[in-house]
């Protein structure tokens, strides 16, 4: 170990220092008032809620999940939500008048149920 001369090896392979480029200087500043959105004069209590969108989980097995993932890979959507929405729109387009009317009535019932549940949670 004493035969190694580390100082000579360092001086012969010394790397040049990096240049940092031009110094960046701040030309202007931004005030918090410029960024914050202006408050509306109406309060949230005055707004009437007509529909609610909440995240929900669907029970599905791994085979259905893999089919949806395959459709995403093929470009039918960018997310599981988009693929399912696309498939549902295809089914809706294939419905006849009577079936579409029943479907819309059921959707309206479920939407009203979600709204009532949301409003009950909000009161508590």
């Amino acid at each position: 170990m004493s035969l190694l001369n580390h100082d000579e090896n360092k001086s012969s392979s010394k790397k040049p220092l990096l240049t940092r480029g031009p110094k960046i200087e701040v030309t202007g500043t931004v005030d918090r008032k410029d960024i914050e959105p202006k408050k509306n004069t109406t309060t949230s209590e005055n707004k009437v809620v007509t529909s609610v969108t909440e995240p929900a989980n669907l029970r599905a097995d791994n085979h259905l999940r893999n089919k949806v993932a395959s459709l995403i890979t093929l470009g039918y959507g960018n997310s599981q939500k988009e693929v399912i929405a696309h498939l549902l729109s295809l089914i809706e387009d294939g419905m006849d008048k009577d079936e579409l009317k029943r479907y819309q009535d059921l959707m309206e019932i479920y939407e009203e149920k979600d709204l009532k549940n949301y409003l009950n949670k909000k009161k508590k």
Side-chain angles (χ1 to χ4, degrees), residues 13-19:
S13 65
K14 192 169 187 177
K15 295 181 182 178
L17 295 175
L18 293 174
T19 58

Side-chain angles (χ1 to χ4, degrees), residues 21 36 48 50 72-73 75:
E36 289 179 352
V48 177
T50 57
I72 291 170
T73 304

Side-chain angles (χ1 to χ4, degrees), residues 56-70:
N57 295 325
L58 295 174
R59 292 273 192 187
D61 60 13
N62 62 321
H63 303 293
L64 291 176
R65 182 194 64 215
N66 293 339
K67 287 179 182 182
V68 171
S70 299

Side-chain angles (χ1 to χ4, degrees), residues 31-50:
D31 191 23
R32 179 178 285 274
K33 293 176 186 175
D34 297 335
I35 297 173
E36 289 179 352
K38 295 181 181 179
K39 296 180 180 179
N40 293 336
T41 56
T42 61
T43 62
S44 61
E45 296 172 0
N46 295 340
K47 295 180 182 178
V48 177
V49 178
T50 57

Side-chain angles (χ1 to χ4, degrees), residues 6-16:
H6 293 287
D7 292 335
E8 287 182 15
N9 292 338
K10 285 184 181 178
S11 62
S12 64
S13 65
K14 192 169 187 177
K15 295 181 182 178

Side-chain angles (χ1 to χ4, degrees), residues 1-2 17 23 27 36 49 75 108 116:
M1 289 293 218
S2 64
L17 295 175
K23 184 176 180 179
T27 58
E36 289 179 352
V49 178
E108 187 175 321
K116 286 180 183 179

